[in-house]
């Protein structure tokens, strides 16, 4: 930093009414540039953890104006529309910028799919889906799915680029390409089914006695073999996520009965230790 400029801006040396404010801004900017981690975060995401430089609005302490209370909240009826029970700060906390989308989220989507919800502050339906969005996060984030939101009014170019035509709007980003959620019903089950349906076909191959040898001995693709034993009609989404992440290096198979026959066990052991008779 230019020391002369720094001293000149100091309130003790400069009688300008704005000198103190500008001095604080310069000091904060210097601290940001001096910290490699915070500077990297700012370059990638356009944000910093310093609340003075980038503070997202917190609407949780406001009571939202609710016209339906006056219309339908009859005394003693117990019937009220409680918009204040909906807290969209969770949308703000997960919100990303266009820079973050292009520089970070798109590259990551080749290994980790991202579920992205477009919203705005004054979107009534966005308020309504807030509890469902929380449950979706609780369901999918622990198994490795990326979660993000985009404020469509703050990032209009990104909204147009993705093809957002209403709010709330949900897309799944995989390998840099957004896939649009088109179901009329927004529910945890429907969203999970939507995510599951977009993974490549046979990412986890079904394995039985007839194809076991071909799976275990198919080393031409130079990938490690992983065989999952679990008595389930469907492969868990957790394992599908893992198979997607490691698909270039690992081939995944699933044996659904979760009960190895003696012949299957023998063949597996011989494939690992060929010299054993």
């Amino acid at each position: 930093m230019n020391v002369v400029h720094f001293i000149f801006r100091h309130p003790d040396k400069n009688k300008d009414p704005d000198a103190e404010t500008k001095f604080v801004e310069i000091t904060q900017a210097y601290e940001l540039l001096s910290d490699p981690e915070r500077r990297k975060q700012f370059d990638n995401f356009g944000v910093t953890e310093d609340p003075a430089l980038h503070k997202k609005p917190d609407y949780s302490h406001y009571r939202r104006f609710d016209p339906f209370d006056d219309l339908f909240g009859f005394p003693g009826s117990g019937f009220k529309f409680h918009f204040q029970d909906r807290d969209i700060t969770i949308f703000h906390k997960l919100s990303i910028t266009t820079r973050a989308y292009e520089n970070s989220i798109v590259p990551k989507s080749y290994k980790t799919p991202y579920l992205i919800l477009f919203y705005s502050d004054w979107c009534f339906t966005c308020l309504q889906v807030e509890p469902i969005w929380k449950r979706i996060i609780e369901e999918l984030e622990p198994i490795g799915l990326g979660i993000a939101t985009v404020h469509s009014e703050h990032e209009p170019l990104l909204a147009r680029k993705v093809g957002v035509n209403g709010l709330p709007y949900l897309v799944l980003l995989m390998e840099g390409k957004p896939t649009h959620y088109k179901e009329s019903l927004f529910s945890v089950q429907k969203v999970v089914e939507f995510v599951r349906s977009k993974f490549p076909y046979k990412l986890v191959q079904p394995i039985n006695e007839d194809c076991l040898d071909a799976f275990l001995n198919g080393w031409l693709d130079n990938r490690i073999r992983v065989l999952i034993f679990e008595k389930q009609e469907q492969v868990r989404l957790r394992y599908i996520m893992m198979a997607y992440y490691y698909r270039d290096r690992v081939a995944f198979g699933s044996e659904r009965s979760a009960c190895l026959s003696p012949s299957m066990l023998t063949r597996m052991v011989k494939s690992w230790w060929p010299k054993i008779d």
Side-chain angles (χ1 to χ4, degrees):
M1 176 182 291
N2 189 314
V3 177
V4 176
H5 184 262
F6 186 81
I7 295 175
F8 176 74
R9 287 296 184 183
H10 197 285
D12 294 341
K13 302 293 183 179
N14 190 337
K15 302 305 179 183
D16 190 312
D18 297 329
E20 183 175 356
T21 301
K22 292 179 180 178
F23 179 78
V24 171
E25 291 176 352
I26 292 171
T27 303
Q28 291 171 341
Y30 177 74
E31 290 174 354
L32 171 63
L33 294 174
S34 302
D35 188 328
E37 288 299 321
R38 291 174 62 195
R39 181 170 183 173
K40 181 179 179 181
Q41 183 181 11
F42 182 79
D43 290 340
N44 289 338
F45 299 101
V47 298
T48 172
E49 73 276 17
D50 189 340
L53 290 180
H54 188 89
K55 185 174 182 180
K56 293 185 177 180
D58 180 6
Y59 303 105
S60 59
H61 61 284
Y62 292 105
R63 184 191 183 281
R64 296 186 180 87
F65 172 67
D66 188 351
F68 292 105
D69 275 354
D70 295 331
L71 292 175
F72 299 109
F74 303 110
S77 67
F79 180 81
K80 281 183 177 291
F81 285 81
H82 292 290
F83 290 146
Q84 62 269 29
D85 294 339
R86 299 289 188 259
D87 182 7
I88 65 169
T89 54
I90 189 172
F91 296 151
H92 295 305
K93 290 176 182 177
L94 296 171
S95 187
I96 60 172
T97 63
T98 301
R99 175 187 289 182
Y101 176 85
E102 294 175 347
N103 295 348
S104 179
I105 304 301
V106 169
K108 286 181 179 178
S109 71
Y110 286 85
K111 292 286 188 181
T112 303
Y114 266 80
L115 201 59
I116 304 174
L117 182 72
F118 287 78
Y119 75 99
S120 71
D121 291 332
W122 303 109
C123 165
F124 172 76
T125 313
C126 298
L127 295 176
Q128 295 299 97
V129 304
E130 178 266 340
I132 301 173
W133 182 243
K134 279 186 177 179
R135 288 172 55 203
I136 289 171
I137 295 173
E138 293 169 358
E139 182 82 14
L140 297 177
E141 193 173 41
I143 66 174
L145 191 76
I147 302 289
T149 60
V150 175
H151 195 303
S152 61
E153 293 179 5
H154 295 171
E155 307 294 336
L157 294 179
L158 179 56
R160 284 198 294 271
K161 179 179 180 179
V162 172
V164 173
N165 55 24
L167 294 176
Y169 201 88
L170 188 66
V171 299
L172 179 68
L173 188 70
M174 295 180 70
E175 298 184 345
K177 299 177 182 178
T179 302
H180 302 239
Y181 179 80
K182 297 181 179 179
E183 294 284 344
S184 57
L185 178 63
F186 191 85
S187 70
V188 177
Q189 181 181 353
K190 287 290 185 182
V191 171
V192 171
E193 291 174 355
F194 165 69
V195 171
R196 174 184 287 273
S197 69
K198 301 309 173 186
F199 284 94
Y201 180 62
K202 288 188 176 180
L203 190 60
V204 179
Q205 305 173 43
I207 303 298
N208 54 37
E209 290 205 38
D210 297 332
C211 61
L212 177 63
D213 292 332
F215 174 74
L216 294 176
N217 298 320
W219 296 104
L220 294 177
D221 57 10
N222 199 30
R223 291 191 295 167
I224 298 170
R225 263 45 186 173
V226 171
L227 192 52
I228 301 167
F229 296 93
E230 189 175 32
K231 197 172 183 178
Q232 294 269 352
E233 291 185 4
Q234 285 186 316
V235 178
R236 293 177 187 264
L237 188 55
R238 179 188 301 273
Y239 298 143
I240 295 176
M241 289 283 302
M242 188 182 302
Y244 181 78
Y245 188 90
Y246 292 106
R247 65 191 184 280
D248 294 333
R249 292 182 288 166
V250 182
F252 282 77
S254 173
E255 206 288 317
R256 307 292 174 81
S257 69
C259 182
L260 278 176
S261 67
S263 63
M264 287 184 70
L265 181 58
T266 301
R267 287 150 61 190
M268 287 178 60
V269 171
K270 285 187 175 181
S271 71
W272 295 329
W273 294 285
K275 294 183 180 181
I276 295 179
D277 293 326

